[in-house]
Amino acid sequence: MPSPALAALEGRGIGKVFGSGDLAVRALHPTDVAVYRREVLVIMGPSGSGKTTLISILGLVLTPTEGEVLVEGKRVAGASADALAQLRRDRVGLIFQQFNLLAGLSALENVALPLLLRGESAKDRAAHARRALDLVAMGDKVGAKARLLSGGQQQRVAIARALVADAAVLLCDEPTASLDGRTGRDVLDTLARLAREQDRAVVIVTHDDRVLRIADRLIHVEDGRATEEAPSDLRSRRTA
Ligand SMILES: Nc1ncnc2c1ncn2[C@@H]1O[C@H](COP(=O)(O)OP(=O)(O)OP(=O)(O)O)[C@@H](O)[C@H]1O
Ligand SMILES: [Mg+2]
């Protein structure tokens, strides 16, 4: 399995307590996790076990109460608000439960949005967004308004939007949850292809056993404790 020395994204001892005093909830015990390019890391576990908390810390949208996150070997802690916003925008692509597309904009406009924030010209934005939509097999729907697309199509537009930013890491929370079997499979195949052919690191939080088919590594989370399964266990679960 490819494991280049430098992790695309790394959490060292990252943990999270929500609230304080009597109301404090320990959502995640201090955990080490590293994510490498070209691999698909799957995170599974029961509802409320801490999966979204873990992936949100890695995605720089939630600040850990313990530990630190490194993006391509560089510490995030201490970065200015501007620097953090830029890292979030350019380095990590988030594909979360709610698609977060702008319903009234076309697929192309949704995908081009991060590029507008980055100051690209209209011509470059259109070309880059089109290429990303081609990659997720949405090239024939560039002009369609987001609200008129199916759930799976919207999910693929969200993947394309994460891609245009050229993020090294794609973090997906339940990418197949609202999709039918076939569309779910297409989205998973797309994510696997992006890892293998485009050198991205892909992290997928899921309840869906079918995702194991494309998993290189599996982390199980239970009561806020994350443990990585041995490769042999993953292989036997995959064929089960
Ligand atoms: N903003 C918050 N404030 C307080 N507690 C929270 C917050 N977010 C999550 N929690 C708590 O932290 C724990 C872990 O939540 P998390 O959302 O990470 O679980 P999950 O594994 O993603 O669950 P699911 O599979 O249902 O999405 C839960 O007990 C939850 O109630
Ligand atoms: Mg969750």
Side-chain angles (χ1 to χ4, degrees):
M1 188 196 316
S3 274
L6 189 63
L9 195 58
E10 187 178 352
R12 289 192 187 154
I14 49 172
K16 184 73 183 177
V17 176
F18 286 107
S20 58
D22 288 350
L23 298 175
V25 175
R26 163 66 69 180
L28 185 68
H29 291 273
T31 298
D32 291 326
V33 50
V35 185
Y36 299 92
R37 285 178 185 259
R38 298 184 69 84
E39 73 176 11
V40 177
L41 171 66
V42 172
I43 300 173
M44 297 187 90
S47 183
S49 58
K51 305 180 300 296
T52 295
T53 302
L54 174 56
I55 202 174
S56 300
I57 293 171
L58 289 174
L60 311 177
V61 291
L62 188 65
T63 309
T65 36
E66 296 103 3
E68 59 178 357
V69 177
L70 294 87
V71 178
E72 281 160 341
K74 290 203 196 74
R75 285 200 168 86
V76 169
S80 68
D82 279 356
L84 195 58
Q86 196 173 338
L87 273 177
R88 217 181 276 134
R89 192 178 71 219
D90 294 344
R91 307 311 296 154
V92 290
L94 301 178
I95 300 155
F96 273 24
Q97 254 149 340
Q98 59 290 31
F99 301 132
N100 284 326
L101 296 182
L102 297 176
L105 297 189
S106 71
L108 190 81
E109 288 164 337
N110 266 286
V111 174
L113 211 51
L115 304 175
L116 180 68
L117 301 175
R118 220 201 260 172
E120 280 196 8
S121 74
K123 188 159 160 270
D124 286 351
R125 290 201 302 271
H128 289 150
R130 206 172 272 274
R131 202 180 315 144
L133 283 162
D134 277 339
L135 274 173
V136 295
M138 287 292 288
D140 57 340
K141 293 270 190 233
V142 290
K145 295 265 188 275
R147 70 182 141 77
L148 300 179
L149 298 173
S150 74
Q153 290 170 335
Q154 290 186 39
Q155 191 69 292
R156 280 186 281 154
V157 173
I159 294 173
R161 190 183 48 184
L163 280 178
V164 279
D166 212 23
V169 186
L170 298 177
L171 301 169
C172 318
D173 198 355
E174 303 280 4
T176 58
S178 54
L179 308 180
D180 66 53
R182 194 206 143 98
T183 315
R185 219 163 30 241
D186 286 351
V187 166
L188 291 180
D189 288 343
T190 303
L191 289 170
R193 198 157 41 81
L194 294 171
R196 322 284 185 234
E197 294 171 17
Q198 295 239 320
D199 283 359
R200 321 272 177 162
V202 173
V203 182
I204 303 175
V205 164
T206 188
H207 287 104
D208 183 351
D209 271 347
R210 293 172 309 172
V211 176
L212 292 174
R213 179 170 59 83
I214 62 163
D216 296 302
R217 290 163 55 209
L218 173 63
I219 287 179
H220 191 78
V221 187
E222 185 105 38
D223 285 338
R225 293 180 199 278
T227 33
E228 181 155 354
E229 297 220 353
S232 56
D233 290 342
L234 172 58
R235 272 194 299 276
S236 55
R237 284 188 62 150
R238 226 191 257 133
T239 49

